[in-house]
């Protein structure tokens, strides 16, 4: 940190991530606004740790760092379904920043499952006509599909469509 305060450049960072203090130091380094660590070095370190470390706090910070570095490499697919909501959120924001066209489709495939986390994320991103049609079709599905699809549609649809949801005969749909 003293190096950064003196406007000096850090040429490389080597941290043994088996040490909790080293991992915490890396998280701190990734969040320093004036960090002038060579981008390639930090990107490589973040990628290597993302593939090997299981500390969710660190993984979320690494994904956020890769986003700030404007990294465009695909993240490991299982991160989207991480047990940690902070990691999932970071992954979705990373992929949204890249304009990943597959993200809405992948989140839509999770609608109706036992995990409602994806509903709010999907509701806040632009959806094309095909996705909206798929959501409308889910209004005839299982109870959970109807509830979650109605929630996303209520966030996405025009006034007339929202009014149809509000007067729908199914209370689960009306309730969303």
């Amino acid at each position: 940190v003293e190096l950064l305060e003196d406007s000096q450049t850090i040429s490389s960072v080597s941290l043994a991530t088996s040490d909790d203090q080293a991992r915490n130091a890396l998280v701190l380094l990734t969040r320093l606004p004036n960090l002038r660590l060579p981008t390639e070095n930090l990107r490589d370190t973040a990628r290597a740790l993302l593939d090997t470390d299981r500390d969710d706090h660190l993984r979320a910070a690494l994904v956020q760092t890769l986003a700030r570095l404007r990294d465009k490499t695909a993240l490991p697919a299982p991160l989207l379904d991480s047990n940690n909501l902070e990691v999932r959120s970071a992954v979705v924001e990373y992929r949204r920043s890249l304009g990943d066209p597959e993200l809405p489709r992948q989140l839509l495939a999770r609608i109706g499952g036992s995990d409602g986390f994806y509903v709010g994320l999907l509701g806040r991103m632009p959806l094309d006509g095909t996705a909206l049609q798929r959501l409308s079709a889910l209004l005839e599905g299982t109870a959970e599909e109807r509830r979650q699809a109605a929630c996303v549609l209520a966030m996405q649809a025009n006034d007339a469509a929202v009014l149809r949801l509000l007067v729908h005969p199914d209370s689960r749909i009306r309730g969303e």
Side-chain angles (χ1 to χ4, degrees), residues 119-135:
V119 172
L121 295 173
L122 193 58
R124 289 189 301 272
M125 65 178 52
L127 298 176
D128 62 17
T130 304
L132 294 172
Q133 287 175 341
R134 171 78 177 117
L135 286 165

Side-chain angles (χ1 to χ4, degrees), residues 38-60:
T39 301
E40 199 61 38
N41 184 295
L42 184 55
R43 184 176 299 141
D44 291 346
T45 301
R47 283 264 164 213
L49 289 173
L50 195 57
D51 289 337
T52 59
D53 204 286
R54 296 294 162 237
D55 180 304
D56 287 325
H57 180 68
L58 176 63
R59 292 192 312 169

Side-chain angles (χ1 to χ4, degrees), residues 139-174:
L139 293 176
E140 304 299 323
T142 67
E144 202 55 30
E145 286 173 338
R146 292 191 313 266
R147 188 186 69 70
Q148 291 182 15
C151 185
V152 174
L153 285 169
M155 291 188 265
Q156 291 278 330
N158 60 33
D159 293 345
V162 171
L163 185 58
R164 282 193 300 276
L165 293 172
L166 289 172
V167 297
H168 198 280
D170 184 334
S171 65
R172 280 186 166 78
I173 292 173
R174 273 194 320 271

